[in-house]
Structure formats: structure tokens, C-alpha cells
């Protein structure tokens, strides 16, 4: 028996392992590739990785090109794992499907078909027509979760929306007009990590007034990943001394406002004006999200407050929920004190039961974090 051949023949578990590695690779450039999705590619020969690539910052070159350049001649006869169907179109770069064919790759595994109408199955078809054996849908669930921003922008023309809520055990978000820390330092660090994985973050004017947040990502190594900050501020009344206004030169701040122009003291600080449509005196959220998608924003995190969260939920605009929960009730536990009326969380068990699946659950010290994905 030829044992060495048997050892190098990948088993189904290996294919999944390589694709999982590919998906993790792609995540490194999430939010850094503009309107292009961040894709990962591994080229594997005799069980050894001979090439790897991630869609470059800014969106080009594509992942396959980078992996092929690394592998050079070793790409011949190799197996390619690509987190998204290789492109079939002549865009800014030549088609990756053709590049894989030209390099002599023998077999291709992909996790998801590219919904871009210039690709949409044509990449797979080109590879098959060239005699390459193609397997699609490997690790598809994980790929869908990772690509959700890109997929939502392609299918619904808007960014994917993560609603972040921090609630006390009795389901309160805080108290009117007061800054209360509901959850502890580990949950806070996780929020900063989440911010770093989104292109944009949005809050209502009331949250800025109550908390004076800066909404940046301040974890070591993620300082450069702070998202574009949007404030729903119909009357453009953001204080020039707020942390947001004071840091607008370093990390962009846009006031979404119905006024024709922002006050000069805000524009002087670098605060941008986002025009908006209004419906019944309220900022029209679907149109705002369309505008964001047109600017290349694929992932948006909504961080409060209760009214903004409620509007997003009611309009069915929430794709993911990051729910942080403290074990303490607001009224009796460590978060007690203060005089303002308690604010109820707009998220109900009925919302979760009807529309979301629990994806992941974590303990963060005494707090818990639960991540839900729209069904
Ligand atoms: C791939 N590999 O790494 C990425 C792909 O403007 P272009 O020419 O860069 O094309 C953008 C489209 O390419 C994008 O909408 C998506 O369909 C695909 N992205 N394809 O083969 C990659 N990022
Ligand atoms: Zn490509």
C-alpha cells in the first residue's frame, strides 16, 4: 500500500479546515476593501499551503491574484479554496476564474456564489468549462455570516445593520438624562472590537447628550479601525464641545440633519453634513441607509438610544443583534442610584422569537453577550 499517497489525500475534514482558515483570512480585511467584499484564498498542494491571499486594502488586487503570485509554479495541480466565487468579469482587474485556469489549478472549493450580476455563477461555469472540478457551498453558513454586509448591500441596496444593546437584568437601558454603565469592562472591550469591524456607527442625538460618547474603537491595534460616526440630529444641535465634534478631524462625524447647512462652528471642526429625507417629521431611515450604501458603507452598527433602536426594529432594518446583559437589575443592583426614569429596552422576546436565531453566546465576566442573526 502506498501510505504516503494516502496521507496526502485530503479528507472532507481537511477541505473544511482549509475553507475555515480561508474565511478567517478574509476577516482580516473586513471593512478595509471599500465596496469590494474581503475574500480569502488558499492554494494547497499535497496538504501544504503554497499560496494565500486576501483582497487587498482598497479592494484590489483580488485575493486569488495575490495567492497565485505567491504560489508561482506551485499553483499547477493545486487545490484552491476561495471564500467567494472567483470573478468572471473584466473589471479593474482581469477575471480571477481565468487566472486560476491559466495557472493550472486542478480543483476549486468555494463557500458562496457571488451575487454580483457580472459574476453570479459565471465564475464557477468558466472553471468547469476548463475541466476543473468545482465544489460550491463549503462552510456556507459561516461564509454567509461573514459576507452579510456585502450580501445585504447587493440584495437590499443597504448596509447590514447590527443593533447593539446593553441591558440590565430587568431589561432597562439606563435612566433618562444620566450616563450609567450597565455592563462591565470586558463587555466594553467587546463593543470596541465590534465597532472596529463595522464601517459606520449610528446614534441618536439623545445618546450624545446623555453620554457624550466618542464612539471610536480604542483597543490596542484597532485604533485605526474606528468607523465613520453618524448622528441623527434633525436640528443640527450637536455641541461643538462634545467629544464627537472635538474628534471629527481624526475620525469622520456626519450629522444627519434636515437643516440646509450646519452651523459654522461645527463645520470648522470638520463635522460633515448628511442631508436626509423626512417622513412625518422623522428622519427617513431606509433612504438614509440607501445613501450610506451608495457611499460604500456595507456594515452599520446602531448604538442607541431606545427610540432609534425601536425605529430600526419596527422598520425591519436590523440584521444582527449584539445583546449585552448585566446580571444586576437597574433598580436594585450595582447599577442603582440616580433619579431619572428607567428606560425600557425596545427589544422584546417576541422580536427574537419571530425573526432571529441565536448565533453565539459568551460570558464576559459577570455579563453575557448574545449575538443573534436575522432568520
Ligand atoms: C474575486 N476576488 O478578492 C474579490 C471579488 O471592481 P472590481 O473589478 O474589483 O470588481 C469588484 C467585484 O469583484 C465585486 O463586486 C465582487 O463581485 C468581486 N469581488 N472577486 O474574485 C476578490 N473581492
Ligand atoms: Zn477577481
Amino acid at each position: 500500500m502506498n501510505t504516503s499517497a494516502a496521507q496526502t489525500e485530503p479528507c472532507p475534514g481537511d477541505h473544511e479546515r482549509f475553507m475555515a482558515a480561508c474565511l478567517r483570512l478574509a476577516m482580516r480585511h473586513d471593512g478595509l476593501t471599500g465596496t469590494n467584499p474581503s475574500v480569502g484564498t488558499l492554494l494547497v498542494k499535497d496538504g501544504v499551503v503554497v499560496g494565500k491571499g486576501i483582497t487587498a486594502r482598497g479592494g484590489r488586487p483580488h485575493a486569488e491574484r495575490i495567492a497565485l503570485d505567491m504560489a508561482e509554479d506551485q499553483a499547477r495541480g493545486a487545490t484552491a479554496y476561495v471564500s467567494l466565487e472567483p470573478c468572471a468579469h473584466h473589471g479593474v482587474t482581469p477575471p480571477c476564474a481565468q487566472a486560476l485556469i491559466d495557472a493550472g489549478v486542478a480543483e476549486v472549493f468555494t463557500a458562496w456564489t457571488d451575487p454580483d450580476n457580472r459574476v453570479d455563477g459565471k465564475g464557477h461555469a468558466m472553471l468547469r468549462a476548463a475541466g476543473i472540478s468545482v465544489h460550491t457551498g463549503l462552510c456556507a453558513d459561516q461564509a454567509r455570516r461573514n459576507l452579510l454586509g456585502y450580501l445585504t448591500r447587493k440584495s437590499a441596496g443597504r448596509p447590514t445593520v447590527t443593533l447593539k444593546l446593553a441591558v440590565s437584568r430587568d431589561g432597562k437601558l439606563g435612566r433618562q438624562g444620566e450616563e450609567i454603565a450597565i455592563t462591565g469592562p470586558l463587555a466594553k472591550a467587546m463593543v470596541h472590537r465590534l465597532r472596529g469591524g463595522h464601517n459606520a456607527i449610528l446614534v441618536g442625538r439623545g445618546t450624545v447628550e446623555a453620554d457624550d460618547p466618542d464612539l471610536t474603537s480604542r483597543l490596542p491595534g484597532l485604533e485605526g479601525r474606528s468607523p465613520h460616526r453618524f448622528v441623527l440630529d434633525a436640528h443640527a444641535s450637536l455641541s461643538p464641545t462634545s467629544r464627537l465634534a472635538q474628534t471629527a478631524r481624526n475620525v469622520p462625524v456626519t450629522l444627519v440633519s434636515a437643516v440646509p447647512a450646519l452651523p459654522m462652528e461645527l463645520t470648522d471642526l470638520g463635522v460633515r453634513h448628511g442631508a436626509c429625507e423626512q417622513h412625518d417629521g422623522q428622519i427617513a431611515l431606509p433612504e438614509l441607509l440607501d445613501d450610506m450604501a451608495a457611499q460604500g458603507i456595507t456594515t452599520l452598527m446602531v448604538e442607541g438610544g431606545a427610540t432609534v433602536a425601536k425605529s430600526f426594529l419596527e422598520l425591519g432594518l436590523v440584521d444582527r443583534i449584539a445583546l449585552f446583559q448585566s446580571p444586576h437589575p437597574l433598580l436594585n443592583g450595582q447599577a442603582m442610584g440616580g433619579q431619572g426614569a428607567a428606560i425600557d429596552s425596545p427589544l422584546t422576546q417576541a422580536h427574537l422569537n419571530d425573526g432571529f436565531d441565536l448565533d453565539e453566546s459568551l460570558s464576559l465576566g459577570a455579563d453575557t453577550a448574545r449575538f443573534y442573526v436575522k432568520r
Side-chain angles (χ1 to χ4, degrees):
M1 190 175 76
N2 183 344
T3 49
S4 65
Q7 277 164 14
T8 53
E9 186 64 30
C11 64
D14 282 332
H15 294 312
E16 278 167 19
R17 214 161 41 82
F18 283 126
M19 184 58 87
C22 212
L23 293 171
R24 284 196 299 275
L25 200 61
M27 281 167 74
R28 290 197 202 163
H29 283 183
D30 271 349
L32 300 175
T33 51
T35 56
N36 228 332
S38 179
V39 175
T41 299
L42 282 182
L43 294 169
V44 178
K45 199 164 181 185
D46 301 330
V48 174
V49 174
V50 292
K52 65 178 182 180
I54 321 174
T55 312
R57 286 168 184 256
R60 288 145 209 123
H62 288 183
E64 299 89 322
R65 185 68 266 158
I66 294 171
L68 289 170
D69 288 348
M70 178 176 164
E72 296 180 335
D73 292 348
Q74 297 185 86
R76 190 154 299 280
T79 300
Y81 298 85
V82 193
S83 62
L84 184 70
E85 177 186 12
C87 67
H89 65 284
H90 283 272
V92 179
T93 50
C96 291
Q98 191 59 50
L100 291 167
I101 296 167
D102 293 345
V105 165
E107 193 172 21
V108 176
F109 287 82
T110 65
W112 202 268
T113 300
D114 187 351
D116 187 306
N117 54 24
R118 297 168 297 176
V119 189
D120 200 13
K122 298 182 199 76
H124 289 145
M126 274 172 78
L127 295 167
R128 288 196 173 106
I132 295 176
S133 87
V134 177
H135 315 268
T136 62
L138 184 64
C139 305
D141 284 347
Q142 188 60 47
R144 176 183 166 262
R145 282 195 285 267
N146 293 13
L147 286 165
L148 204 54
Y150 173 67
L151 299 176
T152 311
R153 196 166 59 79
K154 283 284 171 201
S155 62
R158 63 168 177 82
T160 195
V161 174
T162 306
L163 174 63
K164 175 243 142 182
L165 291 167
V167 298
S168 60
R169 194 177 81 199
D170 48 347
K172 311 292 181 196
L173 295 182
R175 286 188 211 281
Q176 294 292 350
E178 291 174 33
E179 187 188 352
I180 295 179
I182 296 281
T183 45
L186 287 176
K188 194 168 165 189
M190 174 63 85
V191 169
H192 283 240
R193 213 189 91 189
L194 282 179
R195 284 179 185 159
H198 287 78
N199 301 146
I201 198 160
L202 178 141
V203 292
R205 174 79 190 87
T207 297
V208 179
E209 213 153 279
D211 301 349
D212 192 18
D214 65 16
L215 303 175
T216 51
S217 178
R218 293 188 296 279
L219 286 184
L222 285 182
E223 301 89 343
R225 300 287 302 259
S226 290
H228 190 137
R229 299 163 296 169
F230 287 79
V231 183
L232 300 183
D233 187 6
H235 305 293
S237 56
L238 180 75
S239 162
T241 60
S242 62
R243 288 197 188 125
L244 282 175
Q246 290 292 320
T247 56
R249 289 247 176 260
N250 303 330
V251 181
V253 175
T254 295
L255 286 198
V256 181
S257 168
V259 298
L262 296 187
M264 207 142 59
E265 62 268 32
L266 288 177
T267 49
D268 284 350
L269 289 166
V271 177
R272 305 173 190 192
H273 181 212
C276 65
E277 289 180 35
Q278 286 193 302
H279 289 167
D280 301 329
Q282 301 290 320
I283 291 171
L285 296 177
E287 285 77 357
L288 173 64
L289 294 185
D290 286 355
D291 290 349
M292 286 184 176
Q295 291 171 44
I297 292 171
T298 43
T299 49
L300 171 70
M301 175 144 130
V302 174
E303 274 216 43
T307 317
V308 175
K310 188 162 181 267
S311 306
F312 273 85
L313 283 166
E314 279 176 357
L315 290 164
L317 293 173
V318 176
D319 303 294
R320 285 190 284 224
I321 298 170
L323 180 62
F324 296 86
Q325 187 152 29
S326 148
H328 307 292
L330 181 70
L331 299 175
N332 306 314
Q334 79 177 35
M336 68 183 287
Q339 304 299 318
I343 305 164
D344 286 322
S345 167
L347 180 72
T348 62
Q349 194 58 44
H351 283 122
L352 295 175
N353 294 346
D354 291 351
F356 294 89
D357 290 324
L358 181 63
D359 182 35
E360 204 183 349
S361 189
L362 297 174
S363 290
L364 299 167
D367 303 321
T368 53
R370 290 194 194 87
F371 299 91
Y372 297 87
V373 184
K374 196 177 195 166
R375 202 162 291 140

